[in-house]
Amino acid sequence: MLSVMEKPQRHGAVVKLLLGSGGFRTPERIALWVEQMRDFVGSALRVLFVPYALADHDGYVRTMIERGLNARFELVGIHSVPDPVEAVRKAEAIFVGGGNTFRLLDSLYRLKLLDPIRDRVRAGMPYLGISAGTNVACPTIRTTNDMPIVQPPSLDALGLVSFQINAHYYTGTNFVKQGDEYVQHFGETRDDRIREFHEENETPVLGLWEGGILRVEDADMQLLGSSARLFQRGKSPQDLVAGARLPDLLCNLA
């Protein structure tokens, strides 16, 4: 497997990624995801779904269909096929669902799926991710919000983009309800945690708000559905609005 520090050889195919933060729970957000997914996947008949971020794999597939997040495509759970690696090699598109990012990455390592997924995506297979599925598209999972309920062999992930994403990003402090009042929690903010990341790492981080989607087709990256905040080491955060094309520094696919 390539180290995330190595520059892989490009195959000439258009790399296609549809990366959602999560929070697709309102009719408007679901409609945007479905619209983008149908346009993004195109004429594929089936989408290979990776449910490993949750414990109940069958239930996860059912929930995605019931909520309409499959965009009327047939979802084939990768857990239900005899040879997951072969399923990736034959897939028309792959959709990696959300949940616990550590559990997802651990499963991808255990089942030896990282290289096959990476190779297929670099050869042009559409990759869709939500939440944890977006996190593992990054060089590492070091900017996830999840608790490490399992320990994967490494924090290195697929490296389909050259920057980190913090899914479910929000700005400001937390407040908790006590009776009829809201009281400040005083815990670390997301900005605090990303600032700590940049005390040790150079990689840019894109904080993607709920309902946000990053659509990537090679060097063309567009932010859809919500705002985002770009963090770079040694610089002030930069706020990006829905519809924006992302800055050039993010347009180097890994």
Side-chain angles (χ1 to χ4, degrees), residues 140-188:
T140 77
I141 64 166
R142 288 191 177 98
T143 52
T144 180
N145 307 305
D146 296 321
M147 184 176 291
I149 61 173
V150 296
Q151 182 171 318
S154 169
L155 299 182
D156 292 350
L158 288 165
L160 301 176
V161 294
S162 59
F163 54 94
Q164 294 290 131
I165 294 174
N166 178 244
H168 311 287
Y169 172 79
Y170 61 90
T171 189
T173 58
N174 296 319
F175 287 79
V176 294
K177 190 172 184 180
Q178 294 182 356
D180 295 329
E181 297 183 354
Y182 285 90
V183 180
Q184 189 171 351
H185 181 258
F186 295 109
E188 285 184 321

Side-chain angles (χ1 to χ4, degrees), residues 11-28:
H11 296 278
V14 174
V15 174
K16 299 182 63 177
L17 312 172
L18 195 67
L19 306 176
S21 179
F24 296 111
R25 297 183 180 276
T26 68
E28 295 79 12

